[in-house]
Amino acid sequence: MITVVGSIAFDAIKTPFAEGERVLGGAAVHFALAASFFDRVHVVGRVGNDFTDEELAVLTRRGIDTSGIERVADGETFFWRGEYGFDMATRTTHETRLGVFADFNPTLSEQARQAELLFLANIQPTLQRQVRAQVRSPRFTALDSMNIWIREQRDELLAAIAQVDCLIINDGELRELTGRPSLYSAAQAVFALGPGVVVCKQGEYGAALYTKDGEFFALPAYPLEQVIDPTGAGDTFAGGFIGYLAGHPQRRIDTALLREALACGIAVASFNVEGLGTERLQTLEAGELRQRYEDLARFTSFSPAPLPLREPVPAEG
Amino acid sequence: MITVVGSIAFDAIKTPFAEGERVLGGAAVHFALAASFFDRVHVVGRVGNDFTDEELAVLTRRGIDTSGIERVADGETFFWRGEYGFDMATRTTHETRLGVFADFNPTLSEQARQAELLFLANIQPTLQRQVRAQVRSPRFTALDSMNIWIREQRDELLAAIAQVDCLIINDGELRELTGRPSLYSAAQAVFALGPGVVVCKQGEYGAALYTKDGEFFALPAYPLEQVIDPTGAGDTFAGGFIGYLAGHPQRRIDTALLREALACGIAVASFNVEGLGTERLQTLEAGELRQRYEDLARFTSFSPAPLPLREPVPAEG
């Protein structure tokens, strides 16, 4: 079973190809929908009185355990308003209202504490530590964060990172966290903090995996004719990645498994961006996911024939 | 034999890790050094009276044919001054002096016209067409371009693109050229212009290959602890890519060969960025190149085990 803590939100999204005023979102929601293809997911979070049974049903229909979602009678659900540029690589936040997340104090149920896998989605690092401390003996733990915590709560964030096996983070944030421009070198700096695995999310360029024992693996994103809305792609990726590990309870979490998991994350994330918010994940079928996962292996494999190197014959000038 | 036309330059480069006031560079130089590992390269270009035998020797030492480089007695070699930001992804051009390239009118030698492979490096599209027209029956032709020609000489550029087999271009420029934000979709727009192959250069994220018959292939860049100077990386990549094709004269240029060629381009380019200008390529040895080429196959391969998909059991809310 997987426990995830993170935002549950309403997003107002504007992209060149789609627009929505009150779209179900939040890191924990995107993560849970993706991971639910592989294992039971327990969501820890908070919503306000504006969060209806209809929204809850999006999760429960996928077998997600929502008993850890607290509903605050006089509160408002976390709200984010943002807009994307032409190539979807630039995102402007117009408004963030924390709502019920302003005074969140997560206490996990007995069941949630027994999770084999734990994902601490992007949220205040103190809360991440608080949740981490409550989960007894997870097989694998991962954490995501963002620029605001790197800048404003650096020490708390470093302490939270020290307590997980894996940091899953955007390339720009990995650079900002470590102050190192080379991602390879930045990953080494994270290993010194505690984690043995760094997964670097690179948006439309895919993702890269670095391990403490020197392994490197990278895959491009799935090639798509049109990206509708990238919101939540990173959390969907994390859901596919952690979900895949959860789906293989008997296997050791070694490089081979982590590679397959990364490919799985990329495959699931490719669907997320094809619709507004969680739209596409809600209709995603197993066969479609399987197809893209297998495509990815084809898209990146080549047989290295011997390089046709020649001895240069110095030419006359 | 490979013919390349493009700039031969002195670059004044400033990066966070290196600085040089008069560094040998230019697209044709970077390309030729990389391609020279695989086949004989004939360079078509122009230099001024400031270009010394020492610079020429950098090329001839690698067996590059410099008989197509015209030395203009009263002219100045093309000059570029630029600076890179912290993560090397942003580049600011401070100065460009065309020098002897202002009135370039390339006439190819008989030998140069017989090239099996032709690379039209980034240069005014009229000149690219002029050179293309002189090469009799090449096995494969490729072209690079940049934002200035896309904006200011669009029709000429489209006409030049129509005459090659392959467009090798940066992702941002591929978007600008086609007006399509999705690189996959942008590649389809290029196929409509003529070429059957699009290679999209993605800097530190590697490169992607699209073919008219629907194939896709992508590889990340080689992970490096430190990038010293990215100047010329794209042309070095093109040199490794085209060079690999030239090194396999008996093979059909199909997807398998193009994939290997792309990996080869990425491997060579990874050395280029480890030194200022062409510094590192000048000392590169065959064994080092072979090692990185083989590493790339390892870095991106995974065995897709069956996805551990579960049937969701709808949960109670």
Side-chain angles (χ1 to χ4, degrees):
Chain A
M1 197 264 289
I2 306 169
T3 288
V4 55
V5 61
S7 60
I8 301 164
F10 285 121
D11 294 332
I13 300 165
K14 192 173 176 187
T15 86
F17 307 105
E19 214 173 323
E21 259 304 303
R22 195 172 174 276
V23 177
L24 174 63
V29 169
H30 285 282
F31 174 93
L33 284 172
S36 71
F37 280 85
F38 307 99
D39 199 5
R40 180 114 172 126
V41 184
H42 180 96
V43 178
V44 176
R46 276 189 135 191
V47 295
N49 55 22
D50 50 350
F51 201 85
T52 69
D53 287 346
E54 201 188 313
E55 275 101 30
L56 212 60
V58 171
L59 299 174
T60 52
R61 264 201 301 274
R62 292 264 348 134
I64 294 162
D65 178 1
T66 58
S67 63
I69 300 179
E70 189 192 349
R71 219 175 199 155
V72 182
D74 58 350
E76 186 207 19
T77 300
F78 182 95
F79 178 83
W80 175 78
R81 179 184 296 281
E83 192 173 348
Y84 294 84
F86 163 73
D87 66 0
M88 303 279 188
T90 53
R91 174 161 106 170
T92 312
T93 291
H94 292 309
E95 191 182 353
T96 303
R97 293 199 306 265
L98 282 179
V100 294
F101 268 96
D103 55 349
F104 187 33
N105 184 18
T107 305
L108 273 59
S109 68
E110 184 50 35
Q111 201 194 354
R113 291 169 197 248
Q114 287 170 14
E116 286 99 35
L117 290 112
L118 174 66
F119 184 59
L120 307 169
N122 168 36
I123 197 171
Q124 212 214 322
T126 318
L127 299 180
Q128 292 180 315
R129 289 179 69 187
Q130 193 177 332
V131 171
R132 173 65 194 86
Q134 293 176 59
V135 175
R136 287 211 187 81
S137 51
R139 193 172 146 235
F140 193 77
T141 56
L143 174 152
D144 186 11
S145 193
M146 72 183 293
N147 49 15
I148 179 170
W149 311 124
I150 294 171
R151 286 169 205 166
E152 294 175 15
Q153 303 199 13
R154 187 175 172 78
D155 291 345
E156 269 302 310
L157 177 58
L158 295 183
I161 290 172
Q163 290 166 3
V164 295
D165 301 308
C166 173
L167 179 67
I168 301 180
I169 198 164
N170 288 336
D171 46 6
E173 284 156 358
L174 180 57
R175 289 199 168 98
E176 188 167 349
L177 175 69
T178 61
R180 299 194 184 181
S182 149
L183 296 174
Y184 173 87
S185 172
Q188 312 308 311
V190 173
F191 298 145
L193 300 173
V197 179
V198 172
V199 174
C200 179
K201 298 182 285 182
Q202 307 175 329
E204 67 164 326
Y205 301 110
L209 171 88
Y210 303 85
T211 69
K212 201 169 188 165
D213 49 6
E215 290 281 343
F216 170 74
F217 176 62
L219 287 179
Y222 195 95
L224 295 172
E225 204 160 327
Q226 198 178 26
V227 169
I228 298 290
D229 170 23
T231 311
D235 298 300
T236 307
F237 165 82
F241 178 75
I242 299 288
Y244 191 92
L245 301 179
H248 285 289
Q250 307 304 330
R251 285 178 63 183
R252 205 166 70 83
I253 299 181
D254 58 9
T255 311
L257 187 63
L258 289 169
R259 285 174 175 230
E260 295 163 34
L262 186 138
C264 176
I266 286 183
V268 191
S270 75
F271 290 102
N272 179 79
V273 305
E274 288 187 322
L276 191 65
T278 64
E279 224 170 55
R280 186 65 182 87
L281 259 283
Q282 292 185 44
T283 63
L284 177 60
E285 285 173 20
E288 300 174 302
L289 181 51
R290 200 178 286 126
Q291 183 62 56
R292 288 206 182 162
Y293 175 68
E294 286 162 10
D295 284 348
L296 276 169
R298 270 197 309 114
F299 288 163
T300 55
S301 83
F302 73 101
S303 312
L307 278 185
L309 292 158
R310 79 193 256 268
E311 279 304 311
V313 185
E316 286 142 49
Chain B
M1 198 263 291
I2 306 169
T3 288
V4 55
V5 61
S7 60
I8 301 165
F10 286 120
D11 294 332
I13 300 166
K14 192 175 174 183
T15 86
F17 307 105
E19 215 172 324
E21 258 305 302
R22 195 172 173 277
V23 177
L24 174 63
V29 169
H30 286 282
F31 175 92
L33 284 173
S36 72
F37 281 85
F38 308 98
D39 199 5
R40 181 117 171 125
V41 184
H42 180 97
V43 178
V44 177
R46 276 190 134 191
V47 294
N49 56 21
D50 50 350
F51 200 85
T52 69
D53 288 345
E54 199 187 317
E55 275 100 31
L56 212 60
V58 171
L59 299 174
T60 52
R61 264 200 300 273
R62 293 263 349 134
I64 295 163
D65 179 1
T66 58
S67 63
I69 300 179
E70 188 192 348
R71 218 175 199 156
V72 182
D74 59 349
E76 185 207 19
T77 301
F78 182 95
F79 179 82
W80 175 79
R81 180 184 296 280
E83 190 175 347
Y84 295 84
F86 163 73
D87 67 359
M88 304 280 188
T90 53
R91 175 162 107 169
T92 313
T93 290
H94 293 309
E95 191 182 353
T96 303
R97 294 200 304 266
L98 281 180
V100 294
F101 269 96
D103 56 347
F104 187 35
N105 184 18
T107 304
L108 273 60
S109 68
E110 186 50 39
Q111 199 193 355
R113 289 168 199 249
Q114 287 170 16
E116 286 99 37
L117 290 112
L118 174 65
F119 184 59
L120 307 168
N122 168 36
I123 198 171
Q124 211 212 322
T126 318
L127 298 180
Q128 292 179 316
R129 290 180 68 186
Q130 194 176 330
V131 171
R132 173 65 193 87
Q134 294 177 58
V135 176
R136 289 213 185 79
S137 51
R139 193 173 146 235
F140 193 77
T141 56
L143 174 153
D144 187 10
S145 194
M146 72 184 294
N147 49 16
I148 180 170
W149 312 123
I150 296 172
R151 287 169 204 165
E152 293 175 15
Q153 302 199 15
R154 186 177 172 79
D155 290 347
E156 270 302 310
L157 176 59
L158 295 182
I161 290 172
Q163 289 166 5
V164 294
D165 301 308
C166 174
L167 179 66
I168 301 181
I169 197 164
N170 287 336
D171 46 6
E173 284 155 0
L174 180 57
R175 289 198 168 98
E176 187 166 350
L177 174 70
T178 61
R180 299 195 183 181
S182 149
L183 296 173
Y184 173 88
S185 173
Q188 313 306 310
V190 174
F191 299 145
L193 300 173
V197 180
V198 173
V199 174
C200 179
K201 298 182 284 181
Q202 306 175 330
E204 66 163 326
Y205 301 110
L209 171 88
Y210 303 85
T211 71
K212 201 169 188 163
D213 48 7
E215 291 280 343
F216 170 75
F217 176 62
L219 286 180
Y222 194 93
L224 295 172
E225 203 160 326
Q226 196 177 27
V227 169
I228 298 289
D229 170 23
T231 310
D235 298 301
T236 307
F237 165 81
F241 178 76
I242 299 290
Y244 191 93
L245 301 178
H248 286 287
Q250 307 304 331
R251 285 178 64 182
R252 205 166 69 83
I253 299 182
D254 58 10
T255 311
L257 186 62
L258 290 168
R259 285 174 175 229
E260 295 163 32
L262 186 138
C264 176
I266 285 183
V268 192
S270 76
F271 290 102
N272 179 79
V273 305
E274 288 187 321
L276 191 65
T278 63
E279 223 171 55
R280 186 67 182 85
L281 260 283
Q282 292 186 43
T283 63
L284 177 60
E285 286 174 17
E288 299 174 302
L289 180 52
R290 200 178 287 125
Q291 182 62 56
R292 288 206 181 162
Y293 175 67
E294 286 163 11
D295 284 347
L296 275 169
R298 270 197 307 117
F299 288 162
T300 55
S301 83
F302 73 100
S303 313
L307 277 186
L309 292 158
R310 79 194 256 269
E311 279 303 311
V313 185
E316 286 143 49

